Amino acid sequence: MPHRLAITNTTLLTMDERLGDLVGADLVVEDGVITAVGAGVAPADAEEVLDGTGRIVVPGFVDSHRHMWLAVLRGRGADQTLPEYFADVLGHCGSLLTPEDVGVGTALSALTALDAGITTVQDVANINDRPGRTEAAVAALRESGLRAVFAFGHSAMGEDRPDHGGLSEAGVRRLAELLPDRGARVRMGLCVDAFTPEAARWNWALAGELDVPVVLHCLGGRGGLEPSDLRDLGVFGPRAVFVHGTGLDAAELAVLAESGAALSVAPVVEMLMGHGTPPLAAALEAGLRPTLGTDVESTGPGDMFSQMRSGLQSARHTALHGPGAPGRDEPPPRLMTSRQALEAATINGARALGMADEIGSLTPGKQADLVVLRADRPGIAPVHDPVGAVVQSADRGDVETVLVAGRAVKRDGRLLRDPTDLLARAGRVRDRLSR
Ligand SMILES: [Zn+2]
């Protein structure tokens, strides 16, 4: 007999266009997979039953761009701009951290994510240019219970890098041996940031040969390689996540939309650190399905509620008051909605990571990665509109239960892994760096 878990009498925001939002519904999980959603579908003899009354259930959030090791530097760069971040976080701190520190940061970031209902992360691991770090980060991810794409990358930034962003073949091949299964809970990707056409060709060819997805930073409008340059080089295809895109014009966004590549926006960090205007409104206009990322916990928060709110605020403000906004007598602009923000934080992220047939919606047949939110407390009740409640009112403290592949990582508002030891180790790294 399979192990069956049922969540009963609840509100399901399935994020599946065919299923929609279901009120007073049940959700059934068998051996880690969602097998049924709808009214009265819970079996009477399920081994485990969660009463979903007063709760809202959403798919686990998908964070498509997070540098996980930086959790060990949490808040250190709260007021940093991008050049200050390069110098202090990547340069100064990045050169001092041991492999163990990278493991502590990655584990802490994973715990932070799971606590807030993020069940899948693309870890843009820009740390792999020193021995032992790759292994430490991968071990932390495997132990964490989080679903993850570990995107191997290097930390040095700028065109003065001797290899102009070409990835170390030996390092990449070691990782391919460490993570051979392309469908595993922790799987491999590559961060293909490059500053010359030669380095771009090299990185993308490596990804193609190993059959892994890629992620890359692309601000646009600052002299670097743009989507159309990469298209003209013949290197890029649909299994790519472009990060930020703050300076990409409509034509470049159209190149992304045509290619099937994804755009991951990090609204909090982009506005705080000076990347530019988060391009959510422009991406939606271009026909993209934008995703969200937390990016760097050295500056911003590690949850998706902040990203959804910040993204929505910036998109609506830009459409109403930014360049090209309609005048007083013109028809109002199309405004991003709370539902689009929730899509960006769930199903769009799953699509971006090539995982839409596994996660991202509460669809029978998909993995049971889901979040049960308390919706009966001050701050979120009364619920008039469950999507609005999740996007505008919910917070980490409302995350009651989190499942990854049906396995609880948080229950009754408490993480199942005791963070005490991890926090003590992170504190010791902080003390060492601040000496
Ligand atoms: Zn990044």
Side-chain angles (χ1 to χ4, degrees):
M1 275 291 282
H3 179 270
R4 287 173 305 176
L5 175 152
I7 305 172
T8 58
N9 188 37
T10 197
T11 297
L12 303 174
L13 303 180
T14 69
M15 307 316 286
D16 178 322
E17 283 166 12
R18 287 164 301 132
L19 296 170
D21 304 339
L22 304 172
V23 178
D26 306 337
L27 178 146
V28 184
V29 177
E30 292 186 29
D31 287 343
V33 175
I34 299 168
T35 53
V37 293
V41 299
D45 55 350
E47 283 77 14
E48 213 176 335
V49 178
L50 300 179
D51 181 3
T53 307
R55 271 65 174 165
I56 299 172
V57 181
V58 296
F61 297 117
V62 181
D63 180 348
S64 55
H65 167 221
R66 185 179 184 114
H67 302 275
M68 293 183 69
W69 64 283
L70 290 177
V72 83
L73 303 174
R74 192 188 305 286
R76 177 184 173 99
D79 297 324
Q80 283 177 351
T81 60
L82 200 49
E84 290 165 342
Y85 159 82
F86 289 151
D88 177 61
V89 169
L90 290 189
H92 175 66
C93 297
S95 68
L96 294 174
L97 296 184
T98 66
E100 191 197 338
D101 299 339
V102 167
V104 168
T106 305
L108 183 57
S109 188
L111 215 54
T112 306
L114 291 168
D115 187 45
I118 298 171
T119 52
T120 299
V121 170
Q122 170 148 265
D123 181 7
V124 184
N126 52 342
I127 41 108
N128 293 285
D129 39 6
R130 282 167 194 248
R133 289 179 170 185
T134 309
E135 291 77 5
V138 168
L141 281 176
R142 280 194 165 135
E143 204 192 330
S144 70
L146 189 71
R147 198 182 294 282
V149 177
F150 180 81
F152 179 104
H154 288 169
S155 66
M157 300 293 294
E159 290 183 52
D160 52 352
R161 239 178 92 161
D163 54 6
H164 301 293
L167 288 167
S168 140
E169 184 172 5
V172 169
R173 293 203 186 279
R174 257 202 321 279
L175 178 64
E177 282 171 22
L178 204 58
L179 295 174
D181 182 353
R182 301 288 175 265
R185 184 175 57 76
V186 178
R187 61 188 74 172
M188 177 177 174
L190 285 182
C191 178
V192 295
D193 289 346
F195 307 98
T196 64
E198 293 70 33
R201 273 206 200 91
W202 166 258
N203 289 346
W204 288 75
L206 212 47
E209 187 214 317
L210 292 166
D211 189 29
V212 294
V214 304
V215 59
L216 67 158
H217 295 85
C218 175
L219 293 186
R222 294 194 184 183
L225 294 170
E226 305 243 339
S228 60
D229 299 319
L230 293 163
R231 177 199 58 195
D232 296 346
L233 284 171
V235 297
F236 96 84
R239 295 176 70 200
V241 178
F242 283 70
V243 167
H244 300 309
T246 39
L248 294 179
D249 61 20
E252 291 293 341
L253 290 171
V255 170
L256 284 190
E258 278 163 29
S259 73
L263 181 69
S264 175
V265 180
V268 172
V269 157
E270 286 154 7
M271 289 193 284
L272 286 173
M273 296 178 76
H275 299 60
T277 301
L280 283 163
L284 288 165
E285 280 300 315
L288 285 159
R289 299 172 189 258
T291 80
L292 293 170
T294 50
D295 198 354
V296 294
E297 286 169 88
S298 51
T299 292
D303 69 283
M304 292 301 264
F305 302 109
S306 303
Q307 303 304 327
M308 288 193 287
R309 290 200 263 278
S310 189
L312 201 50
Q313 289 155 6
S314 70
R316 292 174 71 104
H317 177 76
T318 307
L320 288 164
H321 298 290
R328 190 183 301 207
D329 300 324
E330 292 175 287
R334 220 183 348 222
L335 296 176
M336 186 175 176
T337 64
S338 296
R339 186 173 296 276
Q340 285 175 318
L342 190 55
E343 286 169 354
T346 55
I347 184 65
N348 292 4
R351 281 198 190 95
L353 300 183
M355 300 166 92
D357 54 351
E358 299 167 71
I359 56 162
S361 64
L362 303 178
T363 306
K366 287 196 185 184
Q367 296 285 306
D369 290 13
L370 58 83
V371 184
V372 180
L373 292 159
R374 287 282 298 263
D376 58 351
R377 300 201 292 195
I380 190 164
V383 175
H384 289 259
D385 162 16
V387 174
V390 172
V391 174
Q392 297 295 355
S393 306
D395 255 314
R396 173 186 299 281
D398 301 313
V399 173
E400 182 176 48
T401 296
V402 180
L403 305 183
V404 181
R407 197 174 75 86
V409 291
K410 186 176 184 182
R411 191 184 285 149
D412 300 327
R414 293 178 67 89
L415 285 164
L416 296 199
R417 177 175 171 181
D418 180 357
T420 310
D421 175 57
L422 189 58
L423 290 168
R425 291 166 72 194
R428 286 197 289 275
V429 180
R430 188 262 330 270
D431 294 346
R432 210 179 72 228
L433 287 174
S434 56
R435 270 207 295 271

